Amino acid sequence: MYRILLPVDDDAKRARAQADFVADLPGIDDIEVVVTHTLTDEEVGAPDELRNVDRVDTVRLVRDRLEDRGLDVELVEARHPPADGILEIAAEFDIDHIAMSTQRRSPAGKALFGSVAQTVLLDADVPVTIVTTDDE
């Protein structure tokens, strides 16, 4: 079984692009997808019923889109900071590939705010694909 990690943010267009990337891979009968979303600072201390990752619209969108294509999907919440949470899930779930999206930022914006995608690209032990939308 080939396991792909899809860390999604709150942007539906990027989430759809990630789901479509995975659904269009050859041999999808042997693919299992782990979808994750990082909790916000406010959600970290919230009761369990408010921390449930499947309450996030983009997580449900990706799950439904992939399940409609016959893929097995597991939902997992990631911890803060997001890059660390993504890398921990990749190790814990024996992920073979990470397919993530990224926000367009200027070089100054990346320097000031950092980049989750850049950190994951540099620190992951598995291949990482950056999935873009049509307008990027």
Side-chain angles (χ1 to χ4, degrees):
M1 181 69 61
Y2 193 76
R3 300 186 95 190
I4 299 178
L5 176 60
L6 259 66
V8 297
D9 60 15
D10 293 326
D11 186 280
K13 191 172 193 175
R14 287 193 297 262
R16 274 192 295 278
Q18 287 173 267
D20 291 345
F21 169 80
V22 172
D24 291 340
L25 289 172
I28 64 170
D29 294 338
D30 295 324
I31 294 175
E32 183 178 281
V33 184
V34 177
V35 179
T36 188
H37 185 274
T38 302
L39 298 176
T40 64
D41 290 334
E42 297 80 30
E43 293 168 325
V44 170
D48 286 344
E49 64 272 6
L50 297 178
R51 292 182 359 182
N52 196 344
V53 72
D54 72 351
R55 68 164 185 70
V56 178
D57 291 339
T58 51
V59 170
R60 289 192 314 269
L61 181 150
V62 168
R63 179 197 60 208
D64 295 347
R65 203 168 181 100
L66 293 173
E67 286 180 346
D68 286 349
R69 295 287 298 270
L71 290 161
D72 293 327
V73 178
E74 184 171 351
L75 306 180
V76 179
E77 85 183 32
R79 72 166 187 85
H80 269 271
D84 291 345
I86 291 166
L87 294 169
E88 285 177 5
I89 290 170
E92 179 182 343
F93 286 82
D94 199 25
I95 296 297
D96 298 298
H97 189 135
I98 300 171
M100 60 189 305
S101 66
T102 185
Q103 299 175 4
R104 287 248 181 215
R105 285 198 181 146
S106 68
K110 287 180 187 174
L112 288 173
F113 302 110
S115 169
V116 172
Q118 181 177 350
T119 301
V120 172
L121 275 166
L122 294 173
D123 295 343
D125 294 330
V126 297
V128 178
T129 300
I130 300 298
V131 179
T132 60
T133 59
D134 291 337
D135 59 343
E136 295 180 303

